[in-house]
Amino acid sequence: MEDEAQHPSNPTPDQTLDDPTIHQKHASMLERLSNLHQTRLQNSLTRKSDSHSSNPSFESTQSFLSRFSDSKRSIESQLAGCRLTTATTDPNSLKSQLEAVAISIAELEKLVAENSYFLPSYEVRSSLKSISDLKQTLENLNSELIPKKKFAFRNKAAKKDQSSAAKGAAIVKPDPHLINKTSFEVRDSPGFRNKEGQVLVKDFKGLEVGEFALSDLNSCEVKLMGCARALFVHRLQNCRVYAGPILGSILIEEVEGCVFVLASHQIRIHHAKGSDFYLRVRSRPIIEDCSRVRFAPYCLCYKGIEEDLRESSLNEEMGNWANVDDFRWLRAVQSPNWSILPENERVGTIEISNSETGIEES
């Protein structure tokens, strides 16, 4: 009995707290719980910090806006300089200055296209509106300073004397619709023009192709293989246009009842009616003054198209064909001017061949 009193098998609570081993284990457990709580707290703070101060999209947007603002100021300075030096600059030098400004505006537009995939829609619209204003200012300067060579078709040039008009008539005049919408010079570009009811085929492979133009076509089928830098489409009716990748931009104006299968870094569509667009595009397609236009993914196939898409950095489908910006519809609800083409109404894979023959460009 005495031994049991000295060495009890069931220690009392007071004895347990006095036991050094148990006390050490208890302290160790409290320390682990405290460390775990601190770790969780630190992770939570880190996540919050990352979301607010290290947001890649936020940083990228700020970087873009800074670059865009600097470039815009530089172009505005160039435009002001052209106006100030008019009296002391010979026409050829002035023309070169204006062409340099046009190139700068085109580069600024390319900057927007390359970054538009992460930019908020408002920033894209605002940036393109600024570019449109710069183009308009450049057009006005061209009209004022070099009316005979670039804008002989305008009313202002028509008021010149007959000798000036005769000189202007000898010059190939640029399409007024092109000048109103873009800064690219396309009057000397190759292309298909003024055709009806024909199959028009062009293979760009092995060629150094800058701009290519399609204008005033009716009920034609156009097949373009290989890569070009830019594509301009004007006044097409009831046409089918199948094109390989375009390295830069595609501008489409005044089309109706057409089907387009196109791949490009940037696509802008103006005054299109009742037409379908099968697209692969790096930035969001832009429409303006359009109605009843529908969109679906790119579906073109020809020998070597995978290599062409890879070289053009268009081999990846980013889904932007369905992310259309309507500049005439700024409400939060879906624009009534465009829609997704239902799958049961889409064409299948369209195959074209470089062995096909057609009318050469003019």
Side-chain angles (χ1 to χ4, degrees):
M1 294 293 294
E2 183 178 354
D3 291 340
E4 290 179 0
Q6 292 179 353
H7 304 284
S9 58
N10 296 315
T12 66
D14 290 340
Q15 291 174 322
T16 300
L17 292 175
D18 291 338
D19 189 320
T21 302
I22 295 177
H23 181 74
Q24 184 178 3
K25 290 182 179 180
H26 181 69
S28 178
M29 180 184 68
L30 291 177
E31 183 179 1
R32 286 198 302 273
L33 290 174
S34 176
N35 290 338
L36 180 60
H37 174 71
Q38 291 296 326
T39 300
R40 289 174 176 171
L41 180 62
Q42 184 62 39
N43 289 339
S44 176
L45 292 174
T46 299
R47 285 194 298 271
K48 290 182 179 179
S49 176
D50 288 343
S51 64
H52 290 288
S53 63
S54 301
N55 190 317
S57 179
F58 174 80
E59 292 180 356
S60 298
T61 299
Q62 295 305 307
S63 175
F64 164 80
L65 292 176
S66 177
R67 291 177 60 191
F68 184 89
S69 179
D70 291 343
S71 298
K72 180 173 176 287
R73 282 195 297 268
S74 175
I75 293 171
E76 290 172 338
S77 177
Q78 292 178 62
L79 289 168
C82 290
R83 188 181 295 279
L84 291 174
T85 60
T86 301
T88 59
T89 306
D90 68 272
N92 290 333
S93 177
L94 182 59
K95 182 179 178 181
S96 297
Q97 290 181 32
L98 294 173
E99 289 176 349
V101 175
I103 292 173
S104 297
I105 294 175
E107 290 175 348
L108 186 59
E109 191 168 28
K110 181 180 178 182
L111 175 67
V112 176
E114 291 175 344
N115 292 274
S116 62
Y117 69 95
F118 66 78
L119 291 173
S121 296
Y122 169 79
E123 298 296 354
V124 175
R125 289 194 294 268
S126 177
S127 299
L128 291 175
K129 176 62 168 62
S130 296
I131 290 173
S132 179
D133 292 341
L134 291 173
K135 290 178 180 179
Q136 186 62 51
T137 302
L138 176 61
E139 178 188 343
N140 293 340
L141 275 178
N142 273 311
S143 181
E144 294 172 13
L145 307 181
I146 315 180
K148 290 185 293 184
K149 290 193 175 183
K150 294 197 66 150
F151 293 86
F153 60 89
R154 284 189 167 275
N155 292 333
K156 186 170 183 178
K159 295 179 181 179
K160 300 293 183 179
D161 58 42
Q162 294 298 321
S163 60
S164 296
K167 292 179 182 178
I171 299 171
V172 178
K173 301 174 185 177
D175 190 327
H177 296 279
L178 275 177
I179 293 177
N180 286 335
K181 299 297 182 181
T182 182
S183 62
F184 291 101
E185 292 288 338
V186 297
R187 52 183 175 172
D188 297 326
S189 64
F192 295 117
R193 298 174 174 86
N194 304 302
K195 306 293 183 184
E196 183 173 358
Q198 298 182 6
V199 177
L200 309 171
V201 181
K202 182 64 179 178
D203 190 346
F204 297 138
K205 285 188 175 296
L207 303 176
E208 292 293 332
V209 180
E211 298 91 4
F212 197 82
L214 306 174
S215 65
D216 298 292
L217 305 180
N218 188 0
S219 302
C220 290
E221 185 174 24
V222 182
K223 302 177 181 181
L224 307 177
M225 288 153 285
C227 304
R229 186 168 69 87
L231 178 65
F232 302 93
V233 180
H234 305 271
R235 296 186 299 275
L236 269 61
Q237 286 192 338
N238 303 317
C239 291
R240 304 291 181 266
V241 178
Y242 312 124
I246 302 300
L247 301 172
S249 299
I250 296 176
L251 175 63
I252 299 173
E253 295 177 336
E254 299 182 37
V255 299
E256 185 171 2
C258 296
V259 174
F260 294 91
V261 183
L262 308 168
S264 180
H265 284 253
Q266 182 184 35
I267 296 176
R268 298 190 67 173
I269 305 166
H270 302 267
H271 303 285
K273 297 179 182 179
S275 297
D276 292 340
F277 297 86
Y278 296 79
L279 305 180
R280 177 173 297 183
V281 58
R282 288 292 300 273
S283 58
R284 291 184 286 263
I286 296 168
I287 65 172
E288 191 170 359
D289 297 311
C290 296
S291 63
R292 296 179 292 109
V293 292
R294 305 186 298 178
F295 293 84
Y298 191 63
C299 58
L300 188 66
C301 181
Y302 60 80
K303 184 178 180 180
I305 189 172
E306 287 81 8
E307 180 182 355
D308 291 340
L309 289 169
R310 219 170 17 251
E311 291 179 355
S312 306
S313 298
L314 289 166
N315 52 308
E316 181 181 358
E317 173 57 75
M318 303 181 68
N320 280 327
W321 61 269
N323 298 325
V324 180
D325 280 337
D326 185 350
F327 277 21
R328 293 298 185 187
W329 187 264
L330 302 181
R331 302 178 190 176
V333 297
Q334 166 69 34
S335 165
N337 300 318
W338 71 273
S339 62
I340 300 297
L341 185 58
E343 290 191 18
N344 62 347
E345 297 183 31
R346 298 176 188 175
V347 300
T349 301
I350 298 173
E351 296 190 10
I352 58 178
S353 169
N354 56 10
S355 63
E356 297 178 72
T357 58
I359 305 298
E360 289 297 323
E361 71 273 12
S362 58

